[in-house]
Amino acid sequence: MIPTKERIKEVAFSLFAEKGYEATSIADIAAGVGLTKPALYAHFGGKEDLFLSIHEDVENDYNSYMQKVFQEAGPMEVPQKLFYLFERYIKYFLKNPGGNAFWYRVMLFPPQDLKDKLARRVYENERKFSEQLGEIIREGMAQGVLRQGSVETVSSSFYSIREGLLIFMSYISLGKIKEFDEQKMSAGIRAVWEDYWLGIKGTAAEFEV
């Protein structure tokens, strides 16, 4: 049996992802769990406390996943490494539509009272991964498998295409991941990556990703 505190977080997570922070009330959450508001307050100090607890859980899961992905990519050659990071990130969110919706709510429509605090957390959280990506890009430029240029520009284009493709594929799937063919998902990601790769590869890049 799921502990009451975890049930509260599950219901609140779904509501925050679907409706957003501002449109979700403690009464909505309590009703979804089958509790009274006073009973819910026995577990969390309020909506902000509950939201931040869920945000921390989602953040920790994402961090653990991305750390594992970077570790797995470590021994690979630069082209395969970049593609692996690109593909695994997109698949993580496509297979977790609730988490995907929650993150976009946080990024695009954060609670006004928590906007600055969440922005700092997101920045600090992503900075370490951005630094690791930059090192991979530098390595690729040094080897000649990436064209010479600005590491920041290549990083920015990597993030922009990755996020754009994730939004596009999320729209296509509409959260119905059971109906979203795994082979088509992989093929779609690879096709976009191959177009991007043509733009960033260097003269020494003689092998396919």
Side-chain angles (χ1 to χ4, degrees):
M1 188 175 181
I2 302 174
T4 301
K5 189 170 185 176
E6 292 307 309
R7 283 172 50 221
I8 293 170
K9 290 170 77 170
E10 284 183 2
V11 170
F13 171 77
S14 296
L15 290 171
F16 288 143
E18 180 184 351
K19 300 169 60 176
Y21 180 85
E22 306 292 353
T24 300
S25 69
I26 285 291
D28 294 332
I29 299 167
V33 182
L35 295 174
T36 63
K37 287 171 62 176
L40 189 149
Y41 282 122
H43 297 278
F44 293 96
K47 188 167 73 166
E48 180 177 316
D49 179 38
L50 175 54
F51 179 86
L52 289 175
S53 178
I54 292 169
H55 184 277
E56 184 175 0
D57 290 345
V58 174
E59 190 176 65
N60 288 341
D61 185 79
Y62 170 75
N63 283 342
S64 296
Y65 177 82
M66 289 304 297
Q67 286 167 8
K68 181 172 179 288
V69 168
F70 270 96
Q71 186 176 25
E72 290 170 347
M76 300 176 187
E77 299 292 338
V78 168
Q80 287 82 7
K81 193 179 296 188
L82 288 172
F83 175 67
Y84 191 76
L85 297 173
F86 185 85
E87 179 187 45
R88 292 294 164 172
Y89 175 92
I90 293 171
K91 285 188 172 182
Y92 171 79
F93 284 107
L94 285 179
K95 293 181 178 182
N96 180 20
N100 191 17
F102 182 85
W103 270 123
Y104 275 115
R105 290 280 187 184
V106 170
M107 296 291 291
L108 301 177
F109 309 104
Q112 287 302 307
D113 293 343
L114 298 172
K115 185 175 180 179
D116 292 341
K117 182 176 184 178
L118 291 175
R120 285 194 299 271
R121 284 182 61 160
V122 169
Y123 172 78
E124 289 300 325
N125 185 56
E126 198 60 36
R127 183 163 59 100
K128 57 183 177 292
F129 298 129
S130 179
E131 289 172 352
Q132 290 179 73
L133 176 64
E135 287 303 313
I136 295 169
I137 292 170
R138 287 187 187 89
E139 179 186 355
M141 289 180 178
Q143 294 174 359
V145 296
L146 296 181
R147 62 177 173 78
Q148 300 302 307
S150 164
V151 172
E152 290 74 19
T153 297
V154 176
S155 294
S156 294
S157 63
F158 179 95
Y159 282 121
S160 298
I161 292 171
R162 187 189 70 178
E163 295 304 319
L165 180 58
L166 173 57
I167 292 171
F168 177 69
M169 296 185 84
S170 298
Y171 174 75
I172 291 175
S173 68
L174 296 175
K176 299 175 182 176
I177 200 64
K178 291 180 180 178
E179 299 174 15
F180 202 94
D181 186 89
E182 178 81 23
Q183 273 191 316
K184 287 183 179 179
M185 181 199 303
S186 297
I189 294 171
R190 178 172 283 275
V192 171
W193 174 261
E194 287 175 350
D195 283 344
Y196 176 59
W197 177 246
L198 289 174
I200 65 170
K201 73 175 184 176
T203 55
E206 298 177 350
F207 48 93
E208 296 294 328
V209 296

